[in-house]
Amino acid sequence: MTAVEELEIRVKAIEQFLQMPQHAPAHRMYVGINADAATVRVSEVLEVGARFCRFPVWADLFTDRVQSFRAYERFAAELLTAHIEPLIVCDGRSWADNDYPLWARLPVHYVQMGNEWDILSMSSFTQSAKQFSADLAWARTWFDYHRPDATPKRYLIAGGAASGHEWLLNDVDLTPVDAIAVHPYGQRADGYPTAGWGHGELRDLIRRYKIHHKPVWVTEFGVQDNEMDQAEQAEYIRRCLTIMEEEGVIGAFWYCLSPLMHPLYGLDQGPALEAFREEALRRA
């Protein structure tokens, strides 16, 4: 076979690959839930079939910082005992006196630094790209240096981007992180529920964030109870999880488990909860 013939074969193989459907999932996606460690029991997380539980860690949960740490330590340990992976979120309330090293001693492998840094809202920890970059670098050093003995390097996720403007990450140094996260609120699931609902398509948003060449997690997605009824939420959950898995998302976390964490959100008994449980267990 000549070099030209070999090249022609390779070109044809590449062309065939590009013509293949791009919706075949490359892996079984993790399905998780957002919860408040102070108000949710691990048994409730277990009941919905989630493999991951994402929760913020706040220094001011109790007046005594050590007491706050112990509460989260106990919750994380109980999750692990139930074979549920904890994912902690560090944001503005996580630090005391600009420094709180105890979080690095928590029995967790997955750490998310920052929360919706790219928008301004009641629940976001808004930062500039420079501030966010500094926090990511700090987190990589701090969480690795202070991790418990004989434990592996932490898996660090850059906090959930919520603006939908993937280009904002161009000015962020993502070198220290293993992955990036997005919060695609208001995104349609291939046109569902209607072509006029929300302000974008979930599939398109995920693809745009892939330009940063980091694995993508969806650490929050959900709708308020006044946006969709139970049947619509159930269908939305199924369609979103399918799209995210097809697009290679590593893990997807519904927001949230209980309205005690955030009013108008939560998995109430009914079709939405059953859909989430079924989809989570199918991927477990």
Side-chain angles (χ1 to χ4, degrees):
M1 181 185 297
T2 66
V4 172
E5 289 172 332
E6 183 177 359
L7 180 61
E8 288 176 346
I9 291 174
R10 291 184 177 181
V11 168
K12 288 181 180 179
I14 293 172
E15 289 175 343
Q16 289 175 351
F17 172 78
L18 292 176
Q19 292 171 2
M20 290 173 61
Q22 297 298 303
H23 298 342
H27 75 298
R28 184 172 293 179
M29 181 177 66
Y30 301 129
V31 177
I33 194 77
N34 283 274
D36 177 11
T39 59
V40 166
R41 298 187 303 274
V42 171
S43 60
E44 296 176 82
V45 181
L46 193 62
E47 286 171 5
V48 300
R51 293 182 63 188
F52 271 73
C53 181
R54 175 181 180 263
F55 56 95
V57 289
W58 294 334
D60 61 357
L61 179 64
F62 297 104
T63 304
D64 182 353
R65 301 175 200 170
V66 175
Q67 187 179 1
S68 299
F69 169 80
R70 296 302 179 202
Y72 292 119
E73 181 183 44
R74 183 167 54 254
F75 185 69
E78 290 176 0
L79 286 171
L80 290 169
T81 299
H83 306 290
I84 301 168
E85 199 72 44
L87 166 58
I88 63 169
V89 187
C90 295
D91 62 16
R93 290 182 61 184
S94 300
W95 318 121
D97 302 327
N98 297 317
D99 187 22
Y100 200 59
L102 281 179
W103 300 133
R105 303 296 299 178
L106 284 173
V108 299
H109 180 57
Y110 295 87
V111 176
Q112 185 168 0
M113 188 67 204
N115 185 60
E116 301 184 352
W117 68 279
D118 57 340
I119 66 170
L120 183 62
S121 74
M122 292 290 291
S123 60
S124 63
F125 179 39
T126 309
Q127 296 178 284
S128 67
K130 183 178 180 179
Q131 291 169 329
F132 190 41
S133 297
D135 275 359
L136 295 178
W138 179 90
R140 170 54 72 201
T141 301
W142 195 261
F143 278 91
D144 285 344
Y145 182 80
H146 292 282
R147 71 179 185 267
D149 295 338
T151 58
K153 182 180 178 181
R154 301 295 174 77
Y155 187 98
L156 183 61
I157 304 173
S163 67
H165 301 317
E166 75 286 350
W167 46 268
L168 290 175
L169 280 174
N170 290 342
D171 295 324
V172 175
D173 181 7
L174 296 174
T175 305
V177 304
D178 298 288
I180 61 175
V182 296
H183 293 174
Y185 289 105
Q187 300 296 304
R188 297 180 291 276
D190 288 346
Y192 186 86
T194 66
W197 185 86
H199 46 78
E201 289 286 346
L202 174 61
R203 194 183 297 277
D204 175 63
L205 182 142
I206 293 170
R207 290 180 176 180
R208 286 189 281 109
Y209 275 92
K210 289 180 182 179
I211 66 168
H212 298 290
H213 305 292
K214 292 282 185 179
V216 177
W217 292 60
V218 174
T219 46
E220 288 183 24
F221 77 106
V223 294
Q224 294 187 4
D225 290 339
N226 57 8
E227 292 181 274
M228 296 184 188
D229 63 27
Q230 277 278 319
E232 291 171 329
Q233 286 189 40
E235 183 65 18
Y236 187 71
I237 288 170
R238 295 185 190 281
R239 293 192 185 208
C240 284
L241 289 175
T242 297
I243 290 169
M244 288 186 277
E245 191 167 50
E246 288 174 350
E247 293 301 327
V249 168
I250 305 300
F253 295 68
W254 180 256
Y255 190 89
C256 54
L257 180 57
S258 168
L260 292 176
M261 185 176 186
H262 198 146
L264 293 180
Y265 289 91
L267 282 174
D268 300 320
Q269 291 292 334
L273 173 57
E274 292 305 316
F276 180 87
R277 181 188 289 120
E278 182 180 319
E279 295 296 320
L281 291 175
R282 188 165 64 83
R283 295 172 172 85

